[in-house]
Amino acid sequence: MKKLFAVILVAVAATVSCQNKTNSSENEKMETPAAGTFGYDQEFLKKYKEIVVLTAPDNPDSKAIIIPAYQGRVMTSTASGSNGNSYGWINYKLIESGVYQPHINAFGGEERFWLSPEGGQFSVYFKKGAKFDFQNWQTPPLIDTVAYPVTGSDSSSVTFQVNAFIENYSGQVFVVEINRKVTMLSQRDIVENLDLKTLGQCKSVAYESVNSIVNKDSEWKPETGMLGIWLLGMFKPSDQTVIITPFLSKDPEKPAITDNYFGAIPADRFVVKDSVAFLKADGKFRSKIGIAPRSARNIAGSYDAANGILTIIQFNLDREGKYLKSTWEIHKDPFDGDALNAYNDGKLEDGTQMGPFYELESNSPARALKEGEKVTHRQRTYHFEGDKIALNAISEKVLGVSIDQIGEIFK
C-alpha cells in the first residue's frame, strides 16, 4: 500500500510539474515583448551585439540602450519600461544580416557620433580628387564600423574612448582621440535644463551625450581643414509627425535656412511661420533643411500626433563659430555651414529607400586646435508622452508652439 501511495505521489508530482512547465511556457509566450516596444528591441539587439542598458537615476522605467560596437550610439530609449514605446529607428534587416554594406552601414539609432564635413574640399567622406557623387561617397570606418571601447560605466552612464587618424579630401591627416559619454538624466535635470515648472502628468526619458575630439598631432589650420562633431538621431515617422525648428532672425521673412538640399520642398511639406520652421516627417518624401548658427536656436523637436510623442533635442550653439559646410561641392566659404539639420527620409530615384525614418541633427563649430586642445559638443535628447495638457505646456515653453498648432500646420 505504501508502495502504491508513493507511486501515486510521483505520478501526481510529474503531472503538476508538466502543468507548471506548460503554464510557464504559456506565460513566457504571453510576456514576449511586442514589436515596437523597448523590450522587443532589447531582446533583438542583444542577439547580435553586446549592449549597455542605462536607467535614469530616479525612474526605473526610463531606459536607453547603447551599443559600443556602433561607436557608442544610443540605439533607442523608452519612458515606460520594457512594454513602453521604443523611440529610436532600428534597421533590423541590416543588423540581422551581419553583412557590411558599401558606402554606409545605416544600423539606425537615435543618437550617433559622426564627423563633419561631409562634402567640400575638407570632406572626410570623399578621397582626394574624387568626384562628389554617390559612387565615391564613403562613410569613414571610424564612424561606421569601428567599435568604441568602454572606459567606464555605472547604472546611468557609460564612457568611450578611441584613438585614430583620418584623412580629408585635401590630404590633411588628423590624429585624434575621441571621447564620448552618455548619461541618463533625472526628472529634476529635465525640468531644470528646459526651464519648466513641472513635467505634469506625462512620462519622460532623457539623456545627455558629451563628445570631444582631441588633436594629438600638429596644429589644425583653416586652409587645410578642420573637423567638427556631428550628432544625428534617427526616429520613427508617422503620417502625423512634424519636425519643429525655432529660429532667430532680424528679418523673419528671410531666415538663414537652407531648404534645397535635394531640390525644392513642396509647400504642403515645409512651412516657415512666426520664427518657426515646420517640416513634415512622414518618411515619404526625401527632404532636408539646415539652419545657420546666426539664425539657429539651441533647440529643436518633433511631435508625433498619432502616438502622442513629443521629442526635443537641446545642444551647444556658438553663433559666432565656424561651422563646416557639408554640401557635395567645392565651397567658396567652407565655414558657412549649418548648426542644425533636419531630414525626412523618402524613396530615391531608383525607388529604393533606406528607412523610413526622420532625423534631428546638431553640429559643433570647428576650431584650429593646437596639439592637446579639443573641441567638445554636448547634446541632450528628451522624449515625452502621455497627457496632452502636459505635452502642450512643454511644447509651448520650449518650442514656442502649441500641440494644436503643430497638428494643424499641414492640414
Side-chain angles (χ1 to χ4, degrees), residues 82 177 215 310 335 386:
S82 293
E177 175 187 286
N215 177 18
L310 176 66
F335 303 107

Side-chain angles (χ1 to χ4, degrees), residues 159-206:
T159 59
F160 305 90
Q161 185 180 91
V162 65
N163 290 277
F165 67 90
I166 190 168
E167 184 176 354
N168 72 9
Y169 186 89
S170 297
Q172 173 66 37
V173 175
F174 301 94
V175 182
V176 298
E177 175 187 286
I178 295 171
N179 296 283
R180 174 169 166 82
K181 182 175 184 179
V182 180
T183 304
M184 301 296 289
L185 302 179
S186 68
Q187 291 191 336
R188 181 177 179 179
D189 292 331
I190 296 171
V191 169
E192 291 182 353
N193 292 341
L194 295 177
D195 194 24
L196 302 171
K197 292 182 178 179
T198 177
L199 295 179
Q201 299 300 310
C202 72
K203 297 177 180 180
S204 63
V205 62

Side-chain angles (χ1 to χ4, degrees), residues 57-227:
D58 61 346
N59 185 354
D61 287 334
S62 297
K63 298 176 178 293
I65 297 172
I66 292 86
I67 297 188
Y70 297 159
Q71 304 80 53
R73 80 181 64 189
V74 182
M75 291 302 293
T76 192
S77 64
T78 186
S80 305
S82 293
N83 294 318
N85 284 317
S86 184
Y87 301 123
W89 179 80
I90 296 173
N91 194 335
Y92 301 103
K93 289 183 179 179
L94 177 59
I95 294 172
E96 193 172 26
S97 74
V99 178
Y100 286 152
Q101 302 297 304
H103 305 297
I104 182 176
N105 287 278
F107 300 116
E110 61 173 82
E111 194 205 78
R112 71 182 187 272
F113 176 93
W114 261 21
L115 297 170
S116 62
E118 183 177 1
Q121 56 266 51
F122 303 140
S123 169
V124 290
Y125 297 75
F126 291 91
K127 290 184 178 180
K128 186 174 182 178
K131 184 179 179 181
F132 293 112
D133 59 22
F134 185 74
Q135 292 303 314
N136 290 302
W137 177 72
Q138 180 62 53
T139 308
L142 178 59
I143 54 172
D144 189 45
T145 55
V146 171
Y148 285 15
V150 174
T151 56
S153 67
D154 56 34
S155 61
S156 60
S157 69
V158 59
T159 59
F160 305 90
Q161 185 180 91
V162 65
N163 290 277
F165 67 90
I166 190 168
E167 184 176 354
N168 72 9
Y169 186 89
S170 297
Q172 173 66 37
V173 175
F174 301 94
V175 182
V176 298
E177 175 187 286
I178 295 171
N179 296 283
R180 174 169 166 82
K181 182 175 184 179
V182 180
T183 304
M184 301 296 289
L185 302 179
S186 68
Q187 291 191 336
R188 181 177 179 179
D189 292 331
I190 296 171
V191 169
E192 291 182 353
N193 292 341
L194 295 177
D195 194 24
L196 302 171
K197 292 182 178 179
T198 177
L199 295 179
Q201 299 300 310
C202 72
K203 297 177 180 180
S204 63
V205 62
Y207 55 87
E208 172 186 86
S209 77
V210 180
N211 310 270
S212 66
I213 306 172
V214 183
N215 177 18
K216 305 294 285 186
D217 198 10
S218 56
E219 184 178 355
W220 297 359
K221 298 179 180 179
E223 55 268 28
T224 53
M226 300 183 286
L227 297 175

